């Protein structure tokens, strides 16, 4: 059974930083691309970032490019998202997702339960 457990969310002031983690189990983490999504209150699921299975190729939504960094540790089966210079519009539930292939950083087959990020002064 695929399990994706996010952590690291919280309340932060504008301009602050957080590091999200996603502990994966139940599948061979090394052979799948991994993805971060987010969902703001009252809005749909938004793609944030993705990384291919080896971590050599990454992609970002325009809204977070230059502020967020995705990375992965295949030895630990863990996905990360470093969030810097956070803005109020980044407030959302952040979800980790397992891709359907090694290279597809958009389509997912499984989604975690999410970790809440609130950016407020």
């Amino acid at each position: 059974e695929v399990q994706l457990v996010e952590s690291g969310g919280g309340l932060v002031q504008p301009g602050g930083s957080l590091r999200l983690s996603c502990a994966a189990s139940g599948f061979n983490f090394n052979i799948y691309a991994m993805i971060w999504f987010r969902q703001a209150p009252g809005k749909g699921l938004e793609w944030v970032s993705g990384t291919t299975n080896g971590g050599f190729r990454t992609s970002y939504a325009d809204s977070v490019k230059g502020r967020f960094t995705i990375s992965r540790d295949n030895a630990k089966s863990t996905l990360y998202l470093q969030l810097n210079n956070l803005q109020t519009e980044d407030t959302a539930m952040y979800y980790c997702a397992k891709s359907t292939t090694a290279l597809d950083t958009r389509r997912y087959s499984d989604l975690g339960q999410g970790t809440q990020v609130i950016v407020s002064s």
Side-chain angles (χ1 to χ4, degrees):
E1 178 190 0
V2 172
Q3 288 198 333
L4 302 167
V5 180
E6 300 94 335
S7 61
L11 174 63
V12 63
Q13 292 186 340
S17 298
L18 286 173
R19 190 192 195 202
L20 307 183
S21 298
C22 171
S25 61
F27 66 100
N28 190 343
F29 185 78
N30 298 3
I31 66 172
Y32 287 97
M34 295 295 294
I35 309 164
W36 285 101
F37 291 92
R38 68 184 180 185
Q39 186 168 25
K43 296 190 176 181
L45 198 63
E46 176 190 13
W47 176 81
V48 174
S49 180
T51 177
T52 53
N53 64 316
F56 299 114
R57 200 162 75 209
T58 59
S59 52
Y60 298 92
D62 287 344
S63 58
V64 308
K65 201 172 293 183
R67 301 187 298 121
F68 292 7
T69 303
I70 191 172
S71 62
R72 63 191 295 162
D73 185 336
N74 283 353
K76 296 182 179 179
S77 296
T78 302
L79 178 72
Y80 302 100
L81 188 67
Q82 178 69 40
L83 289 64
N84 294 332
N85 191 20
L86 282 160
Q87 306 300 312
T88 54
E89 54 266 32
D90 296 316
T91 294
M93 186 72 81
Y94 284 72
Y95 297 93
C96 164
K98 170 183 166 290
S99 172
T100 56
T101 73
L103 301 179
D104 192 332
T105 57
R106 297 287 183 131
R107 287 181 293 184
Y108 71 95
S109 59
D110 300 88
L111 202 66
Q113 87 290 346
T115 186
Q116 182 72 52
V117 172
I118 300 172
V119 184
S120 175
S121 54

